[in-house]
């Protein structure tokens, strides 16, 4: 195309494209029916005529980065030669480059002068897409047939006419058809908002200029990113992270291996050696893996706009049939578990390349889903309580980690207001507060997590499901920093004295009125040796209730005396602190090589608590029974030595 853009027009168009996508988001927020989408579990995109992503919005969540162009192109292939003005298509197919079945995308071709100039796309997480459990997250599913409705490309609006029969067929296969129909219209209208803005730009600048702008913004990002890669040294860097377990297999962490190779102005991410797909929903199809790579790498280049120009600079090698390249019909709804492991592994690698932006491991996103019939009214309608919590991000080079922040999976997500949840569901929140000692200790500590406790009210036929991870592959520190704490849900049934630990991965558990369930979110991993943290900062953490007096001494070697806890008056015992730190330095090399069986026995006897077992001895247990997990411990200790203990030795 011969049209060229002057710098001013280029900047105007670049920012106008992003604004058009942001306007889609504002439209969805004001018209959606689903409480899940209202809390920003959605993303939007503008594509060029070839389906390449030209712009995403400022608050679109990381999980959808790098997937929307795949689904746009799949729709284009399906309807090649049969697209018309006013058409809108739907797709949610993870095997065609999407994420999971709950993320349903609506795509509209934008015509100018009778030809397609662009596509607008709205992706929203529907609260339910069918399947075997409310909310469509059955952790025991081994194939897609228990996960919900798979929507291959289908036309929902035909030349502006709503295809009511198709839409109602889709909605009728969910537990909340009225909301689904409402969300379809909200997303369709959002794509029209973007269309209106692009046609306004066409009217002002002309079709050719806008088309040139759509390609130029991608070329700009590609050039900028290649220049930055070329400025880095060529080489190879590798690491691994883990999924807790394969419920269909034996005990042991499930590895995801990542090797980054930089050659000139290109990056190659190689997942060779990653575990084969596992017998649960914790598998990732290629589109989600691509998204995790893009989101993880983009974190270190926050100033660049996001579009397909960024995707051109890297290549992914993902072994077919592995946990990072699952094929139909392998279950993939829980792809977010490998997704976040990939992101954190990439964080660790890029922390070596750009140390001034280094960051330790962040907590793992968790989803709680409870559904049944709401008995607070005579109609007893179906309800679905779908909740996620914020937690702690990893400590950084020179800064503590972010406290109670949305997961790296999707920083655009909002924490759901409990008042809205309680109005829509027969569930009462009795506790939601920062969790003391949840942060991984370090010279720069991780951010703190929280604990939320809820009680079931009047409901019938209710079940609870929970998908999470890092109950065993605990959130880790780097450069000598220490791990955080395990995830996991506990259930206290009405009239029963003892609590029941259900852990981090279960589905379809019956729950009744008066039952109380509680779960924490971990803090982030620590950065740097905790014995090098300024005691004054530890004292402030104690005052803020981020760190207890006991763990200030055990994790940081800082002895804090309590003057008046009610008035938040504490002081550092300087001499005792010097002595405690000297003792810990002398003793800790032996802690993480101590006999794991003896550590497990001491835990069961109440002589060691969970934090000691993890942070001092790097031992993993079944946190309900105290039983040693020998293979998991061996794997965890290996990484603990590399990320933490070896750095203490290097520091003398």
């Amino acid at each position: 195309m011969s049209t060229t853009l002057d710098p001013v027009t280029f900047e105007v168009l670049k920012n106008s494209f992003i604004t058009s996508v942001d306007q889609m988001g504002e439209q969805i927020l004001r018209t959606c029916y689903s409480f899940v989408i209202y809390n920003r579990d959605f993303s939007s995109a503008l594509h060029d005529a070839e389906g390449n992503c030209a712009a995403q919005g400022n608050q679109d969540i990381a999980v959808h980065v790098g997937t929307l162009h795949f689904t746009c192109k799949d729709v284009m292939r399906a309807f090649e030669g049969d697209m018309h003005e006013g058409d809108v298509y739907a797709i949610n197919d993870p095997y065609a480059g999407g994420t999971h079945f709950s993320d349903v995308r609506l795509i509209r071709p934008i015509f100018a002068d009778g030809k397609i100039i662009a596509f607008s796309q709205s992706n929203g997480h529907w609260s339910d897409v069918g399947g075997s459990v409310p909310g469509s997250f059955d952790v025991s599913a081994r194939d897609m047939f228990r996960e919900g409705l798979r929507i291959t490309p289908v036309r929902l609006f035909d030349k502006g006419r709503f295809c009511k029969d198709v839409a109602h067929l889709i909605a009728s296969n969910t537990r909340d058809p009225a909301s689904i129909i409402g969300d379809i219209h909200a997303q369709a209208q959002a794509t029209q908002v973007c269309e209106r803005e692009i046609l306004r730009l066409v009217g002002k600048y002309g079709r050719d200029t806008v088309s040139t702008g759509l390609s130029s913004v991608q070329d700009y990002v590609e050039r900028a990113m290649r220049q930055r890669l070329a400025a880095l040294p060529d080489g190879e860097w590798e690491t691994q992270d883990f999924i807790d377990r394969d419920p269909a297999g034996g005990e042991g962490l499930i590895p995801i291996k990542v090797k980054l190779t930089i050659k000139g102005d290109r990056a190659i991410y190689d997942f060779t050696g990653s575990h084969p797909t596992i017998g649960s929903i914790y598998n990732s199809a290629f589109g989600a893996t691509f998204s995790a790579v893009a989101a993880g790498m983009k974190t270190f280049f926050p100033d660049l706009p996001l579009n397909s120009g960024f995707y051109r600079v890297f290549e992914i090698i993902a072994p077919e049939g592995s946990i990072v390249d699952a094929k139909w019909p392998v279950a993939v709804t829980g792809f977010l578990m490998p997704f976040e492991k990939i992101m954190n592994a990439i964080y660790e690698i890029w922390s070596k390349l750009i140390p001034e932006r280094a960051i330790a491991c962040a907590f793992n996103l968790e989803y709680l889903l409870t559904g049944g019939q709401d008995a607070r009214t005579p109609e007893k309608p179906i309800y679905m309580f779908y909740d996620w919590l914020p937690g702690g991000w990893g400590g950084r080079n020179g800064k503590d980690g972010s406290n109670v922040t949305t997961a790296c999976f999707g920083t655009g997500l909002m924490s759901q207001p409990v008042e809205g949840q309680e109005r829509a569901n027969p569930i009462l929140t009795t506790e939601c507060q920062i969790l003391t000692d949840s942060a991984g200790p370090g010279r720069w500590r991780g951010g703190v997590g929280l604990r939320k406790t809820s009680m079931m009210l009047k409901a019938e036929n209710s079940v609870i499901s929970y998908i999470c991870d890092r109950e065993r592959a605990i959130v880790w520190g780097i450069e000598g920093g220490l791990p955080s704490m395990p995830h996991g849900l506990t259930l206290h049934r009405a009239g029963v004295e003892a609590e029941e630990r259900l852990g981090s991965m279960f589905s379809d558990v019956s729950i009744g009125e008066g039952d109380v369930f509680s779960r924490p979110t971990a803090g982030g991993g620590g950065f740097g040796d905790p014995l090098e943290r300024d005691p004054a900062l530890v004292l402030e953490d104690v005052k803020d209730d981020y760190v207890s007096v006991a763990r200030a001494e055990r994790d940081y070697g800082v002895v804090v005396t309590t003057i008046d806890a009610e008035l938040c008056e504490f002081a550092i015992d300087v001499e005792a602190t010097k002595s405690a730190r000297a003792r810990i330095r002398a003793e800790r090399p032996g802690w993480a090589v101590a006999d794991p069986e003896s550590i497990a026995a001491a835990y069961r006897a109440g002589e060691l608590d969970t934090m000691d077992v993890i942070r001092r001895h790097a031992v993993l247990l079944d946190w309900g029974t105290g039983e040693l997990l020998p293979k998991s411990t061996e794997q965890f200790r290996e990484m603990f030595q590399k990320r933490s203990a070896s750095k203490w030795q290097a520091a003398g």
Side-chain angles (χ1 to χ4, degrees), residues 279-300:
S280 80
I281 62 176
Y282 290 7
N283 298 292
S284 176
F286 180 82
T289 295
F290 185 97
S291 176
V293 170
M297 183 173 169
K298 178 66 172 64
T299 302
F300 285 78

Side-chain angles (χ1 to χ4, degrees), residues 232-289:
L232 295 170
D234 286 359
E236 293 182 351
W237 299 263
E238 56 186 310
T239 189
Q240 63 180 330
D241 205 347
F242 298 92
I243 301 291
D244 282 351
R245 59 191 178 277
D246 180 356
E251 180 263 319
L253 304 177
I254 305 300
I256 296 176
K257 298 188 176 183
V258 185
K259 180 171 75 172
L260 168 63
T261 301
I262 293 181
K263 292 183 178 180
D265 63 356
R266 187 159 186 81
I268 302 168
Y269 293 89
D270 188 349
F271 290 87
T272 299
S274 296
H275 199 278
T277 54
I278 60 177
S280 80
I281 62 176
Y282 290 7
N283 298 292
S284 176
F286 180 82
T289 295

Side-chain angles (χ1 to χ4, degrees), residues 538-569:
V538 177
L539 181 63
E540 288 303 310
D541 288 342
V542 170
K543 292 178 179 178
D544 289 335
D545 242 3
Y546 295 163
V547 176
S548 66
V549 169
R551 293 236 67 92
E553 181 174 355
R554 297 186 71 77
D555 292 333
Y556 293 97
V558 175
V559 180
V560 177
T561 58
T562 303
I563 299 171
D564 190 326
E566 289 292 324
L567 296 178
C568 201
E569 292 184 2

Side-chain angles (χ1 to χ4, degrees), residues 377-417:
T377 61
E379 297 81 13
K380 297 181 181 178
I382 291 177
Y383 77 92
M384 280 173 297
F385 177 76
Y386 175 31
D387 191 27
W388 59 78
L389 296 178
W393 280 52
R396 296 163 286 177
N397 188 356
K399 285 187 177 182
D400 293 337
S402 298
N403 300 321
V404 285
T405 302
T406 306
C408 60
F409 172 86
T411 51
L413 288 172
M414 293 171 58
S415 295
Q416 298 186 38

Side-chain angles (χ1 to χ4, degrees), residues 22 25 33 43 50 79 89 118 122 165 171 177 184 212 215 224 299 354 369 402 428 436 439 486 491 518 633:
D22 283 338
Y33 278 57
S43 294
E50 285 73 47
F79 291 95
Y89 313 96
S122 171
D165 52 349
I184 286 174
T212 299
S215 60
T299 302
I354 308 179
L369 304 104
S402 298
L428 176 69
T436 304
L491 176 62
S518 181
T633 294

Side-chain angles (χ1 to χ4, degrees), residues 42-61:
F42 67 81
S43 294
S44 311
L46 170 67
H47 305 269
D48 64 18
E50 285 73 47
N52 302 307
C53 179
Q56 286 201 248
N58 287 304
Q59 280 193 269
D60 289 334
I61 62 177

